[in-house]
Amino acid sequence: MIEYINFQSLLILAIGFGLGAFPTALILAKYFAKQDILNSGSGNMGAYNLYHISQSKSLGIATLLIDFFKGFLTVWIAKYISGGNFYLPALAILLAIAAHNWNPFLGWKGGRGLATAAGGIILFSPVGLFLWLFVFSLHYFIVKRNIIIANVVASLVSIISVFRTPDFVIYKTQTLTFSHTIDYCYLFAAMNILILVKHYKVFREEIKLLQ
């Protein structure tokens, strides 16, 4: 039994790492835009930078969707293998985001984890994602049209908001069963911390430009 659990856990984590490390933007940029995304634009391996350097909405949207499904598949496969266990899929999606943000095969470079996190959290409960999108939309369209700053504000505010969300709202919307809503809240916070860490440097640069 212990050996089975250990193998199961390692398999789930390996799947999370493998899907997270899949370099979507790098591949699309190389074969369709004929550019090295790691040395172009901001150097970020994400949908926005690919759109920026290629001026192709199609490539940007394709990257966004594929990275979203990286997170979605990570949790879905982990849920299937673990039989609905909460903690193994939770660890898998955190590893997927980390591998996406700091890809060891690409000199620890990568994206910022937003799409991959969105794809993963929605299979636990969409509440956190809806809160994040709501705050992002308010800040970007009403306060300041700056994606980086809006990302950071949305992550910070949504972490606080999800802890303040009534338990029954999260329970009613859960798609992967968990016993305590606090587990979901901690997972959501951890995912956003990984996103915020990757935004730290570029966020500071954006703030300096505003001064």
Side-chain angles (χ1 to χ4, degrees):
M1 182 64 178
I2 295 177
E3 291 181 357
Y4 171 75
I5 293 174
N6 287 338
F7 173 75
Q8 181 189 66
S9 302
L10 290 174
L11 177 60
I12 288 172
L13 295 179
I15 290 171
F17 174 83
L19 287 171
F22 181 78
T24 309
L26 182 73
I27 293 172
L28 294 181
K30 180 178 179 179
Y31 290 101
F32 294 99
K34 308 301 180 184
Q35 296 193 56
D36 177 7
I37 194 170
L38 295 177
N39 293 300
S40 302
S42 65
N44 180 63
M45 198 173 65
Y48 183 70
N49 191 38
L50 179 52
Y51 165 71
H52 177 72
I53 66 173
S54 68
Q55 291 300 300
S56 170
K57 290 183 180 179
S58 297
L59 288 178
I61 292 172
T63 302
L64 185 70
L65 291 175
I66 294 172
D67 283 347
F68 177 92
F69 279 106
K70 281 165 50 174
F72 186 92
L73 284 173
T74 293
V75 177
W76 187 84
I77 294 172
K79 176 183 177 182
Y80 177 79
I81 294 175
S82 67
N85 177 284
F86 171 83
Y87 297 103
L88 287 175
L91 289 173
I93 188 59
L94 291 175
L95 185 58
I97 296 169
H100 174 85
N101 289 359
W102 300 278
N103 195 317
F105 304 116
L106 299 172
W108 304 103
K109 297 180 179 180
R112 297 193 179 106
L114 291 162
T116 302
I121 199 64
I122 202 169
L123 275 181
F124 291 92
S125 166
V127 169
L129 178 58
F130 290 157
L131 287 171
W132 193 97
L133 290 173
F134 177 72
V135 176
F136 175 88
S137 299
L138 282 180
H139 191 279
Y140 183 79
F141 293 108
I142 298 176
V143 181
K144 183 70 176 179
R145 286 182 175 268
N146 184 300
I147 287 180
I148 299 300
I149 295 176
N151 286 345
V152 171
V153 171
S155 290
L156 290 171
V157 174
S158 62
I159 289 174
I160 298 171
S161 299
V162 80
F163 278 97
R164 303 287 293 180
T165 301
D167 288 351
F168 78 89
V169 175
I170 298 176
Y171 275 129
K172 287 289 186 180
T173 59
Q174 65 179 332
T175 50
L176 194 155
T177 304
F178 41 86
S179 301
H180 307 286
T181 57
I182 195 66
D183 292 335
Y184 174 82
C185 295
Y186 282 135
L187 170 62
F188 183 74
M191 294 167 77
N192 276 280
I193 287 171
L194 291 176
I195 291 169
L196 288 168
V197 170
K198 197 59 192 286
H199 275 77
Y200 177 72
K201 182 178 179 180
V202 68
F203 177 73
R204 289 187 61 187
E205 293 173 353
E206 291 295 330
I207 294 299
K208 287 180 180 179
L209 292 175
L210 295 177
Q211 295 176 345

